[in-house]
Amino acid sequence: EVQLVESGGGLVKPGGSLRLSCAASGFTFSSYSMNWVRQAPGKGLEWVSSISSSSSYIYYADSVKGRFTISRDNAKNSLYLQMNSLRAEDTAVYYCARDRGLTIFEDWGQGTLVTVSS
Amino acid sequence: AIRMTQSPSSLSASTGDRVTITCRASQGISSYLAWYQQKPGKAPKLLIYAASTLQSGVPSRFSGSGSGTDFTLTISCLQSEDFATYYCQQYYSYPRSFGQGTKLEIK
């Protein structure tokens, strides 16, 4: 069974940093592209970033480009999102999602809440 | 960037009804479209990809159609567990984008 477990969320002040992690199990992590998708409270879904299986290809939404960095450690079956220069509008539940291919989000974690507030 | 627009934004229906949700892309995306279902407090669930291919384990009452710019998600006979919010998503180009969602409520 595919399991994706996010962690690292919490309350951070504007301008601060946070690192999210996603622990994967139940599949061959190194064979799949992975993604981060977020959802602001009461709002819709927003794609944040994608990373290919070998980290060769990385993409970001314009709203986070230059501030967020996606990475992965295939030896540890883990996906990361380093978030710097956080803003109030980054407040959201952040989901880790396994890629079925072409950024079709086949499996999702339960999400981790990031709150940016002073 | 491709903008995805869903209609309606909300919809009231009864168990047993047939409902259709529409998703329109601001430019052609061929069949690079997926549909997701999300229940309150839960992660989204993939229903359909490639506009009309049912994800494994998804009931056959769900179906998708369309190509180019206009797409539909149809639920043929609503069950109680289908009341949720539905999102379309294009994966034709970056940045990937979702529709704003359609909330399906019990009448």
Side-chain angles (χ1 to χ4, degrees), chain A:
Chain A
E1 180 195 1
V2 172
Q3 281 205 315
L4 299 167
V5 180
E6 301 94 336
S7 61
L11 175 63
V12 61
K13 289 181 168 52
S17 298
L18 215 52
R19 188 195 196 204
L20 305 184
S21 299
C22 172
S25 61
F27 64 101
T28 305
F29 181 74
S30 59
S31 296
Y32 288 83
S33 294
M34 296 294 295
N35 307 275
W36 289 99
V37 177
R38 68 184 181 183
Q39 186 169 37
K43 303 297 185 183
L45 301 170
E46 180 187 15
W47 168 77
V48 173
S49 184
S50 299
I51 185 168
S52 63
S53 57
S54 61
S55 305
S56 298
Y57 299 96
I58 288 174
Y59 303 91
Y60 297 100
D62 287 345
S63 57
V64 306
K65 200 174 294 183
R67 300 187 299 122
F68 289 12
T69 302
I70 191 172
S71 63
R72 64 190 295 160
D73 186 334
N74 287 344
K76 294 183 178 180
N77 291 342
S78 293
L79 174 71
Y80 306 101
L81 187 67
Q82 176 67 43
M83 304 186 296
N84 298 330
S85 303
L86 283 161
R87 306 167 179 166
E89 54 265 36
D90 295 318
T91 294
V93 173
Y94 284 73
Y95 295 101
C96 152
R98 186 177 77 149
D99 201 317
R100 194 189 187 285
L102 302 176
T103 55
I104 299 166
F105 308 120
E106 185 170 31
D107 296 286
W108 299 66
Q110 84 289 350
T112 187
L113 176 63
V114 173
T115 303
V116 184
S117 175
S118 54

Side-chain angles (χ1 to χ4, degrees), chain B residues 11 13-21 37 54 58-64 73-83 86 104-106:
Chain B
L11 174 60
S14 301
T15 303
D17 284 354
R18 176 186 179 93
V19 299
T20 296
I21 297 168
Q37 175 195 66
L54 208 60
V58 174
S60 59
R61 62 180 180 273
F62 290 90
S63 63
L73 172 69
T74 299
I75 311 172
S76 60
C77 182
L78 274 174
Q79 303 298 301
S80 57
E81 60 267 30
D82 300 336
F83 292 96
Y86 293 85
L104 178 54
E105 299 175 302
I106 300 173

